[in-house]
Amino acid sequence: MKRILLVLVTLVLLAGGWFLYARTPSGVPVYGVQTVATFKHDPQAFTEGLFFHNGLLYEGTGEEGSSGIRKVRLETGEVLQEDQLPAPYFGEGIVAWKDRLYQVTWKDQAGFIYGLDDLAPRGSFSYTGEGWGMTQNGESIILSDGTSTLRFLDPETLAPKGTLAVTANGCPVAKLNELEWVDGQIYANIWQTNLVARIDPKTGHVHSFLDVGALGPKTRGIDDVANGIAYDAKAKRLFVTGKRWPELYQVRQGDKVASQDAQTLMSCAR
Ligand SMILES: [Ca+2]
């Protein structure tokens, strides 16, 4: 009888422990970054979109009157080809799909299509709400719009297919900005922070953050935030930069760090 009682008590304690463990916010780890290589970046470029394709960087820039898309040689920062987006459009995220490049705009609800090879205009599309960042996973275009919800679009028609609510420690992660699909995860800059959220595309849960606060110019304008993630999937190189940053960095995950931004976010205070 004593033995049965002992087993029962042990089971109750174990269950209670698991219940507490499951309910206690354990937080989401934050990692710093180590710089692997540093490249030149146009300090005039207000980076809103960035991806790496066939050995070249593609960058979308924002602000009315200086928005556009450009093809850049990574090694030198040289702009090889570009196309301007006339005012009043404010360029935002860009993404490649087959032989095309798509670009969204901030509040204009207008998207533009270009040839990936010549950056020549090929058409336009529309969507509701705002346009922030874009990437793709081989099946869908993924679009951020300043909220904590990512949209999935049909890559051929750009019609909405579904959404993904993004949370960290149970808290909505708003202001998701520039996006990148990296080995089956979604990376997202969080606007006005140094954080890059690493998101499970099935659950929307942020499983870890990168803190890129060690990168970029020490003195900078209030809008010159970290924004721009590109991934060279073949060589597994991760690149990050920011708005009007004179440098672009190849980085890898560093040690765990403390982040006030992440703490604020994970207490649902942001
Ligand atoms: Ca990107």
Side-chain angles (χ1 to χ4, degrees):
M1 188 62 189
K2 262 187 185 170
R3 184 173 291 176
I4 292 172
L5 204 61
L6 192 66
V7 169
L8 276 175
V9 167
T10 307
L11 281 175
V12 166
L13 284 175
L14 278 174
W18 172 249
F19 182 73
L20 278 175
Y21 171 78
R23 280 184 57 87
T24 305
S26 53
V28 175
V30 184
Y31 298 95
V33 289
Q34 292 177 344
T35 302
V36 178
T38 304
F39 303 97
K40 280 186 188 160
H41 178 246
D42 178 1
Q44 305 296 318
F46 198 77
T47 311
E48 295 285 9
L50 195 71
F51 65 81
F52 189 85
H53 180 78
N54 282 350
L56 294 173
L57 270 176
Y58 290 74
E59 182 166 11
T61 58
E63 293 204 303
E64 273 187 35
S66 51
S67 290
I69 50 170
R70 53 177 66 180
K71 215 181 269 193
V72 178
R73 192 179 301 287
L74 167 73
E75 294 77 10
T76 59
E78 181 192 357
V79 176
L80 301 172
Q81 223 171 26
E82 61 183 322
D83 192 49
Q84 305 293 327
L85 185 61
Y89 294 112
F90 189 119
E92 289 275 349
I94 58 169
V95 67
W97 182 258
K98 295 184 178 171
D99 61 346
R100 307 187 284 280
L101 183 151
Y102 299 141
Q103 176 191 38
V104 285
T105 55
W106 185 18
K107 294 180 174 176
D108 303 295
Q109 304 191 337
F112 297 96
I113 305 168
Y114 305 84
L116 198 55
D117 57 345
D118 57 4
L119 301 188
R122 295 272 201 283
S124 62
F125 60 100
S126 61
Y127 49 90
T128 58
E130 298 188 3
W132 284 41
M134 275 200 291
T135 191
Q136 56 111 328
N137 63 2
E139 295 172 354
S140 301
I141 303 295
I142 306 169
L143 171 71
S144 66
D145 60 9
T147 70
S148 58
T149 300
L150 295 175
R151 304 188 208 178
F152 288 70
L153 312 178
D154 181 294
E156 295 294 337
T157 65
L158 296 154
K161 281 170 73 177
T163 58
L164 181 73
V166 177
T167 57
N169 208 34
C171 301
V173 182
K175 298 178 181 171
L176 297 169
N177 204 1
E178 221 281 304
L179 303 176
E180 190 68 21
W181 182 261
V182 180
D183 290 341
Q185 304 165 61
I186 304 166
Y187 282 32
N189 281 112
I190 302 173
W191 188 52
Q192 289 182 322
T193 76
N194 291 316
L195 297 174
V196 173
R198 298 199 283 197
I199 304 160
D200 180 331
K202 289 197 177 70
T203 63
H205 294 165
V206 176
H207 63 77
S208 57
F209 293 100
L210 291 179
D211 185 330
V212 299
L215 307 178
K218 292 290 170 261
T219 53
R220 60 178 94 157
I222 193 165
D223 291 327
D224 301 348
V225 293
N227 198 46
I229 313 167
Y231 188 57
D232 172 7
K234 278 185 197 143
K236 297 195 175 294
R237 294 187 295 173
L238 181 68
F239 304 107
V240 296
T241 190
K243 296 174 178 178
R244 300 195 190 102
W245 287 15
E247 292 177 330
L248 177 143
Y249 307 89
Q250 183 191 338
V251 299
R252 62 168 168 250
Q253 179 180 303
D255 295 332
K256 258 190 188 181
V257 295
S259 161
Q260 187 56 51
D261 278 341
Q263 286 309 312
T264 306
L265 212 150
M266 287 188 283
S267 59
C268 302
R270 185 174 187 273

